[in-house]
Amino acid sequence: MDINFNKNEDHNKLLVSDLKKRFAHVKLGGGQKRIDKHKAKGKMTARERVDYLLDAKSKSIEIGAFAGDGMYAEHGGCPSGGVVVKIGYVKGRQCIVVANDATVKAGAWFPITGKKNLRAQEISIENRLPIIYLVDSAGVYLPMQDEIFPDKEHFGRIFRNNAVMSSMGITQISAVMGSCVAGGAYLPIMSDEALIVDKTASIFLAGSYLVKAAIGESIDNETLGGATTHCEISGVTDYKAKDDKDALDKIKFIVDKIGDYDKAGFSKTDSFKPKENEDDIFGILPKERNAQYDMLDIISRLVDKSEFEQYKEGYGQTILTGYARIDGWAVGIVANQRKLVKTKNGEMQFGGVIYNDSADKATRFIANCNQKKIPLVFLQDVTGFMVGSKSEHGGIIKDGAKMVNAVSNSVVPKFTIIIGNSYGAGNYAMCGKAYDPRLIVAWPSAELAVMSGNSAAKVLLQIEKASLEKKGEKITPEKEAELFNKIKDRYDNQVSPYYAASRIWTDAVINPLETRTWISMGIEAANHAPIEKPFNMGVLQV
């Protein structure tokens, strides 16, 4: 191993260590004091509920763990968006589980909570996955009601989705395990089956205080909307559980009886580990963002037996395309090549940049994968499309548009892994969040932005300098350096993978060694949803 490999390895392993520390903090939700108070009521925490429900020792992936990270400081924060979302297995059946975390503002809904819940429902709808809601929420967080209540992608969209999912035949099961108030009361009752835990759970449109204020009736919450009321009088809920574990056991019993699903039919064979050492990823991935490396070295550590059959290997070399298997699933890989490549004409092409020929190759490959019903995996480390007269005269905008069109109209499931840079239109062409990947995750080494922090800081610095000089201020070299660093620090914070994850621009920040699990479980989920329309690129048909 050379010295650079060792430096890269140390740097990337430190990034993974930081990821683990951040996640350990997030897992505490509202903090240990609130956890102790919650458990004193005889209740399990949201994470304990999810872990108990999912099959022991089975694989699972968590969606949006860093949602809300660094947001709402003036309101005390909202770790994980106040809700835990995992894709895992219940009685061997893949499901998505959504559990309110009542240690975070009593499980109240912040704007990011709504966005995360909608993302969970989107995953359920796209993949026809059964969804299980573990409800323990005080409803909308009133100080921010204007940002969560009325708009199309706000709180009410949840119940609209409940109705649509029911019409699609997607199984929805709810367990009311704590508070379930006002509009939130509709979620469990719009599910196929609803359970309620005796004594610790309640459902009502208005609690006892509001009832007293509104109509003058004096009544306690248990009589108003407890388990006995809704199981024996109103008929609102279907099962009464004596405690949290009993409710979760009942859900397992119900899920165990669900019939099989129609499969999309993606190719699956036996799984094999890569022949190359997966840990080498940490040494291969450069510490410096502009350093060159061979993406084939990364691919060979992600795919079964390290086997990757390249499509148009000698053409458009700044994008790698080809077929492989990941955990037995057939995949088509579209990856940015990060090393300097030499064309047959003797010209050099920069790694990480999309040229005319590479965009053309990717478009054709995406069409082939759609024809063969092969899921697509995008490995992003892209700085954008090539600029300059040669590219413009060669029609880079047209070739780029064709690639974006192919990604947009692709009917096979897409999965995006942001390895390094994800800048500008390159993010779009390589299936960024706006292009509906079934799952999109980032490695700790990722950056998402219009351009790099360095480039953006230089542009913003010129604007800032011009503004200050107009006001008569003299800009010394020291002042210029101070301004540059201030702007760059602010911009670097915004390009962090955690900044993106907190806003659910990505589903997770993951250890690179978890990549195979995310892709495999993602394709297994997608296999629940048969492809219902043909691939068609419209007027930009290749």
Side-chain angles (χ1 to χ4, degrees):
M1 300 293 177
D2 62 24
I3 189 69
N4 279 334
F5 184 97
N6 293 333
K7 285 181 178 178
N8 293 339
E9 185 176 45
D10 289 345
H11 172 73
N12 288 307
K13 285 190 173 179
L14 279 172
L15 290 180
V16 171
S17 177
D18 179 53
L19 167 63
K20 289 176 180 176
K21 285 178 187 173
R22 287 171 178 261
F23 183 57
H25 179 70
V26 154
K27 285 174 74 174
L28 289 173
Q32 194 59 52
K33 284 185 179 178
R34 288 197 178 98
I35 290 173
D36 293 342
K37 189 177 177 182
H38 179 86
K39 296 181 85 164
K41 298 174 185 176
K43 298 163 74 172
M44 302 165 74
T45 66
R47 290 186 178 277
E48 287 172 341
R49 288 165 176 169
V50 174
D51 290 345
Y52 182 83
L53 180 62
L54 297 179
D55 296 344
K57 297 180 181 177
S58 65
K59 290 181 179 179
S60 66
I61 53 179
E62 182 168 349
I63 305 295
F66 293 105
D69 184 47
M71 298 169 70
Y72 313 120
E74 66 277 22
H75 297 280
C78 188
S80 270
V83 62
V84 178
V85 177
K86 283 190 179 184
I87 299 175
Y89 301 88
V90 179
K91 291 293 184 179
R93 177 174 292 276
Q94 198 176 46
C95 301
I96 185 163
V97 184
V98 181
N100 298 114
D101 186 349
T103 71
V104 180
K105 296 288 186 199
W109 288 54
F110 283 69
I112 199 67
T113 315
K115 188 172 183 179
K116 185 169 174 179
N117 275 268
L118 288 169
R119 176 61 179 143
Q121 288 185 322
E122 179 182 42
I123 291 170
S124 175
I125 290 168
E126 285 182 330
N127 300 291
R128 307 295 195 272
L129 273 187
I131 187 166
I132 299 165
Y133 307 99
L134 307 179
V135 184
D136 193 346
S137 170
V140 166
Y141 182 60
L142 290 177
M144 301 188 76
Q145 64 85 28
D146 60 321
E147 296 180 50
I148 180 61
F149 169 65
D151 210 345
K152 182 178 178 180
E153 299 300 329
H154 283 177
F155 191 65
R157 188 76 172 182
I158 304 289
F159 318 130
R160 175 263 185 196
N161 285 352
N162 288 142
V164 168
M165 291 159 77
S166 182
S167 73
M168 294 171 69
I170 297 170
T171 297
Q172 300 176 83
I173 300 168
S174 288
V176 181
M177 310 182 82
S179 182
C180 188
V181 186
Y186 287 104
L187 186 147
I189 312 313
M190 293 188 74
S191 299
D192 303 324
E193 295 182 90
L195 306 85
I196 186 169
V197 179
D198 197 20
K199 306 305 180 193
T200 57
S202 57
I203 311 173
F204 33 65
L205 294 181
S208 55
Y209 292 128
L210 186 54
V211 168
K212 176 70 174 175
I215 64 173
E217 181 184 2
S218 295
I219 189 169
D220 64 272
N221 282 339
E222 182 64 26
T223 307
L224 182 66
T228 298
T229 295
H230 286 310
C231 286
E232 299 178 18
I233 300 172
S234 72
V236 164
T237 50
D238 307 308
Y239 308 90
K240 184 199 284 191
K242 63 184 179 183
D243 56 27
D244 282 8
K245 284 189 176 179
D246 186 38
L248 298 168
D249 286 335
K250 289 180 186 296
I251 292 173
K252 293 179 186 183
F253 191 85
I254 294 166
V255 171
D256 189 43
K257 309 303 179 294
I258 299 173
D260 203 1
Y261 55 90
D262 296 331
K263 294 176 177 62
F266 303 124
S267 174
K268 177 81 160 72
T269 59
D270 292 337
S271 173
F272 294 91
K273 286 187 173 293
K275 283 184 180 177
E276 302 291 345
N277 185 357
E278 294 173 69
D279 281 338
D280 287 349
I281 286 172
F282 297 115
I284 294 165
L285 195 63
K287 177 180 177 180
E288 303 300 328
R289 305 211 68 80
N290 58 355
Q292 300 286 307
Y293 67 96
D294 193 342
M295 183 62 82
L296 286 170
D297 291 336
I298 300 289
I299 292 172
S300 67
R301 285 157 178 86
L302 294 177
V303 301
D304 291 11
K305 298 183 182 179
S306 300
E307 293 177 348
F308 179 56
E309 184 63 38
Q310 284 202 62
Y311 168 83
K312 289 186 179 289
E313 182 178 353
Y315 176 71
Q317 295 176 69
T318 64
I319 286 184
L320 301 171
T321 53
Y323 303 105
R325 288 191 182 272
I326 293 178
D327 196 25
W329 292 102
V331 294
I333 293 175
V334 180
N336 302 112
Q337 174 58 289
R338 278 309 312 260
K339 72 174 186 178
L340 207 62
V341 296
K342 193 173 186 178
T343 68
K344 284 187 177 178
N345 298 329
E347 297 174 4
M348 301 304 294
Q349 293 186 339
F350 297 103
V353 179
I354 302 174
Y355 288 77
N356 301 69
D357 52 359
S358 48
D360 174 64
K361 176 171 84 170
T363 302
R364 293 170 183 273
F365 181 71
I366 290 166
N368 282 348
C369 286
N370 274 270
Q371 187 177 34
K372 296 179 178 71
K373 205 158 72 170
I374 300 172
L376 285 158
V377 173
F378 292 83
L379 302 178
Q380 283 197 15
D381 193 345
V382 59
T383 53
F385 284 87
M386 190 59 190
V387 296
S389 60
K390 185 174 181 182
S391 289
E392 297 293 0
H393 296 170
I396 187 66
I397 296 173
K398 178 185 66 179
D399 290 326
K402 284 184 178 180
M403 183 176 173
V404 169
N405 190 297
V407 173
S408 303
N409 285 300
S410 179
V411 295
V412 295
K414 299 166 290 193
F415 302 90
T416 302
I417 315 296
I418 305 173
I419 289 175
N421 303 316
S422 180
Y423 298 152
N427 169 282
Y428 301 158
M430 291 295 293
C431 197
K433 182 67 182 289
Y435 293 82
D436 300 321
R438 295 293 176 95
L439 294 171
I440 176 170
V441 297
W443 288 3
S445 49
E447 281 192 0
L448 287 82
V450 171
M451 61 182 77
S452 72
N454 228 33
S455 300
K458 286 176 183 176
V459 173
L460 293 168
L461 175 65
Q462 297 310 311
I463 296 169
E464 182 74 8
K465 273 179 64 181
S467 174
L468 292 171
E469 285 168 349
K470 258 187 184 178
K471 295 174 185 174
E473 197 168 326
K474 188 178 179 184
I475 309 298
T476 65
E478 293 77 19
K479 177 70 174 175
E480 184 170 330
E482 182 189 332
L483 279 171
F484 177 82
N485 290 329
K486 185 179 175 184
I487 292 167
K488 188 173 184 304
D489 287 347
R490 186 175 71 240
Y491 197 87
D492 283 347
N493 177 57
Q494 293 179 1
V495 303
S496 157
Y498 297 101
Y499 190 91
S502 72
R503 288 149 180 81
I504 318 183
W505 300 342
T506 61
D507 291 315
V509 182
I510 67 166
N511 184 331
L513 302 183
E514 296 171 351
T515 305
R516 281 169 54 84
T517 297
W518 274 81
I519 294 170
S520 174
M521 288 189 67
I523 298 175
E524 182 183 347
N527 205 35
H528 287 74
I531 296 170
E532 295 172 348
K533 64 176 184 178
F535 174 68
N536 187 339
M537 284 180 60
V539 295
L540 281 173
Q541 196 70 266
V542 178

